[in-house]
Amino acid sequence: MQKSRLCRSLSLAVSFFLVGAAAPQGPQNTPAPEPTEAPIVVLVTHPRAAVLQYYVTLVRQGVFSAESLQFVGIHHASETEDYSDAAAYLAREKIDFIRLQTVDCTLDKKNLYAANGGCGAAFAELVAHSSGIILNGGPDIPPAMYGEPTLLTTVIETPHRHRFEIALLANLLGTGRNPQ
């Protein structure tokens, strides 16, 4: 339970950091300067349609500037979630500042914290072309993934998603099991 709170706190910290970095500067009635650089790219895990609608609302309300920010919804090919509703939403609403990307590499579920073979290069490529990552909330991480026993009352809903997100973070940040 404590580790789950840590993951949520990390996600919130990243979200607040990104809001601060991408929020409009100066008075609201001052027109934004023309962008002179490539947009800031932010990776968003588990990009369900409802989650993407939240980011669209933030852009429409002026919290983020679509001219300076590009969201990339990432998910692993092994996830059981169907993201076709997210793709349909983006197409129907003609949203051009969010795109979806499936990461198709081999996740070693027995050693999520290691350099992770086939996914290490994919993770490095994602991170090299982005400025931040937002880990969207969801079901609790299966305790076995962080070395704790799974209780009978634990409901494991999205293990493929959690393998992807844990391996991504472990490859990016390193851990005591995978020092960088």
Side-chain angles (χ1 to χ4, degrees):
M1 181 112 117
Q2 190 173 22
K3 292 184 183 189
S4 181
R5 274 185 266 174
L6 174 65
C7 290
R8 284 187 214 130
S9 297
L10 176 61
S11 180
L12 283 173
V14 170
S15 297
F16 286 126
F17 170 75
L18 291 171
V19 168
Q25 303 298 315
Q28 291 294 339
N29 59 358
T30 304
E34 290 296 318
T36 57
E37 299 177 12
I40 297 168
V41 176
V42 178
L43 304 175
V44 177
T45 62
H46 200 60
R48 295 172 297 129
V51 170
L52 299 181
Q53 289 171 359
Y54 174 73
Y55 295 113
V56 169
T57 299
L58 290 174
V59 167
R60 289 181 176 159
Q61 291 180 352
V63 174
F64 295 123
S65 167
E67 289 81 34
S68 63
L69 190 62
Q70 175 78 43
F71 292 102
V72 180
I74 59 172
H75 60 93
H76 193 266
S78 68
E79 287 185 44
T80 56
E81 182 86 27
D82 179 7
Y83 293 102
S84 61
D85 63 334
Y89 166 73
L90 295 174
R92 181 178 61 252
E93 296 294 319
K94 297 177 176 53
I95 306 297
D96 62 354
F97 58 90
I98 301 176
R99 65 181 171 85
L100 300 177
Q101 182 173 339
T102 302
V103 179
D104 193 1
C105 56
T106 303
L107 280 173
D108 181 1
K109 67 182 179 180
K110 294 180 183 173
N111 198 355
L112 294 175
Y113 298 94
N116 219 308
C119 281
F123 294 152
E125 182 72 19
L126 285 170
V127 171
H129 294 91
S130 65
S131 298
I133 300 172
I134 298 175
L135 301 167
N136 287 303
D140 287 339
I141 296 170
M145 290 186 186
Y146 51 85
E148 294 294 324
T150 302
L151 303 175
L152 291 174
T153 56
T154 302
V155 178
I156 299 173
E157 297 179 25
T158 57
H160 297 286
R161 171 192 174 189
H162 293 298
R163 276 189 214 114
F164 171 65
E165 291 175 0
I166 288 172
L168 172 65
L169 285 174
N171 276 261
L172 173 65
L173 302 175
T175 70
R177 301 177 199 182
N178 174 26
Q180 293 289 327

